[in-house]
Amino acid sequence: MRTNATDPFTHIYRHWAPRLFNHFRRLSWTVEDASDLTSEVFATALERLPEVRDRERVGAWLWTIANRHAANRVRGEQRRRDRESAASETTAAAKTTDQHMNHRLRRALDAMPEDARQMILWREYSGLNYHEIADLSGRSVESVRAALYRARVQLREEYCKRLES
Amino acid sequence: MNCEACHEMISAELDAELDTTEEPELWTHLAECQGCRQWRRDQLTIRHDFQRWPEEALPETGTYGMTAIPVKTRAYRVPRVLAWAAGLLIVVQGAYLGGTITTRDIGTPTAIMPEGDFVETIELTADDRVSQRFEQFSVPDAGNSLEENGG
């Protein structure tokens, strides 16, 4: 990997790689899969970086690549194993309040359909606005607003179920 | 406004995407409806949980194949200025050579013939050139050679 601090690619990598990795983790990919996906995204980005004219939009461009790689991996059925491992963690690991909260939210997200989970994470974790999500998902802004509302309804239901249990 | 429409507006309001014309309507309904206020509180709790979800450190280089980023795929690119300069040079050279070939007067074909101790330049016709070449490679006469050798 390049280590030159002045290299624009290194700068982009340092800024975006942790965010993408954590985004994949929140999408329930294992550490290994999330790391692989992050590598794949940046391998593609490395090849195509010279094509990027507007450096202000590097973030949106990376999200597009990330979205494509994640979708390909889902289609290839190289599926995450966190759902299975999450069940085994339930009793043993979650000791503090924060761990309980994280676990509850993660399980609630896991129970949601892929599209809804992606929508919520783009908004709540990655902080993308409706226009950016519309660009990434190929929807209209109105459709994004409606989809996010439906995703929130689902997430609240799943979250409250786990709160009660 | 019914509660479902209110929830949809709350969702947009949490994302700071609510239309200014919708805001009074939303807050009027929220003031009257405890269920919708609770729905909004639940959403804020979930958001709060998202914010407290700790960031995980990216696995260090080499641990999970992060070294797999292929440096070789980053092809070397000739700086644009150099590429333009090289292109311009080729064009100029091409134009110069093209102009020289088409405009230079080649003149009448000539040959330089060795003649004793001096060099004489003479103009040749096509027939001359053939006969000259023939004489150059012809075998010397056998009788003359004997006389010259005293035999």
Side-chain angles (χ1 to χ4, degrees):
Chain A
M1 196 187 312
R2 285 169 182 266
T3 52
N4 183 1
T6 58
D7 186 344
F9 181 78
T10 305
H11 181 74
I12 291 167
Y13 180 85
R14 284 182 182 160
H15 181 76
W16 286 98
R19 291 183 66 83
L20 288 178
F21 172 73
N22 276 282
H23 180 83
F24 290 132
R25 286 289 290 141
R26 281 154 178 73
L27 276 170
S28 297
W29 295 97
T30 61
V31 172
E32 198 172 358
D33 283 345
S35 182
D36 281 351
L37 274 167
T38 308
S39 292
E40 287 170 18
V41 169
F42 279 94
T44 306
L46 190 59
E47 285 176 19
R48 299 189 184 165
L49 188 62
E51 296 168 17
V52 180
R53 297 275 176 250
D54 186 0
R55 293 295 164 98
E56 294 294 312
R57 290 186 55 80
V58 161
W61 173 70
L62 280 174
W63 282 118
T64 309
I65 297 172
N67 192 32
R68 200 179 309 129
H69 277 284
N72 287 345
R73 195 168 271 231
V74 169
R75 272 198 291 275
E77 294 185 345
Q78 300 170 24
R79 208 58 188 111
R80 58 187 171 274
R81 294 180 290 274
D82 260 17
R83 287 191 188 186
E84 290 78 12
S85 63
S88 62
E89 286 170 12
T90 311
T91 51
K95 290 174 184 168
T96 67
T97 311
D98 273 4
Q99 280 174 321
H100 274 300
M101 176 275 295
N102 288 334
H103 189 71
R104 196 161 53 228
L105 186 55
R106 171 165 282 208
R107 295 293 304 277
L109 278 169
D110 278 352
M112 293 173 70
E114 193 80 33
D115 284 357
R117 180 169 52 230
Q118 180 76 78
M119 280 280 170
I120 284 285
L121 284 171
W122 272 333
R123 179 63 212 135
E124 294 293 344
Y125 173 64
S126 305
L128 303 183
N129 63 34
Y130 284 8
H131 284 277
E132 289 166 330
I133 296 174
D135 284 346
L136 280 172
S137 60
R139 296 168 181 249
S140 66
V141 172
E142 292 75 21
S143 169
V144 168
R145 176 172 160 159
L148 264 168
Y149 159 62
R150 287 194 298 274
R152 283 197 166 105
V153 170
Q154 286 176 311
L155 181 59
R156 180 177 172 272
E157 276 175 22
E158 296 295 338
Y159 188 87
C160 289
K161 271 186 212 170
R162 279 148 189 84
L163 206 61
E164 287 158 12
S165 65
Chain B
M1 179 170 53
N2 63 30
C3 291
E4 196 180 330
C6 179
H7 294 171
E8 201 269 345
M9 279 190 195
I10 291 169
S11 174
E13 183 257 329
L14 291 174
D15 296 334
E17 301 269 0
L18 191 64
D19 200 51
T20 47
T21 57
E22 294 173 312
E23 275 188 41
E25 208 178 347
L26 170 67
W27 294 114
T28 306
H29 182 89
L30 280 175
E32 296 165 354
C33 181
Q34 191 175 351
C36 286
R37 283 201 300 274
Q38 184 60 46
W39 199 89
R40 186 170 181 277
R41 268 198 297 274
D42 290 346
Q43 292 300 336
L44 286 172
T45 303
I46 292 171
R47 172 165 285 181
H48 186 59
D49 282 2
F50 262 112
Q51 288 164 355
R52 287 166 62 200
W53 193 336
E55 295 277 310
E56 290 178 52
L58 189 66
E60 287 184 14
T61 304
T63 308
Y64 290 103
M66 295 305 289
T67 49
I69 293 176
V71 174
K72 64 180 179 185
T73 57
R74 194 171 201 192
Y76 174 74
R77 285 176 171 264
V78 177
R80 190 164 292 194
V81 174
L82 281 181
W84 275 104
L88 192 65
L89 189 66
I90 289 167
V91 169
V92 168
Q93 195 174 16
Y96 173 75
L97 287 175
T100 308
I101 288 166
T102 52
T103 58
R104 191 171 63 185
D105 182 14
I106 296 172
T108 311
T110 59
I112 299 171
M113 299 294 297
E115 191 74 33
D117 293 331
F118 60 93
V119 174
E120 184 185 18
T121 303
I122 57 170
E123 287 192 4
L124 299 172
T125 63
D127 289 341
D128 286 337
R129 281 200 296 275
V130 172
S131 58
Q132 190 72 47
R133 199 168 298 161
F134 180 76
E135 284 167 19
Q136 189 179 352
F137 293 104
S138 61
V139 179
D141 184 65
N144 292 340
S145 300
L146 286 173
E147 286 171 12
E148 285 170 11
N149 293 332

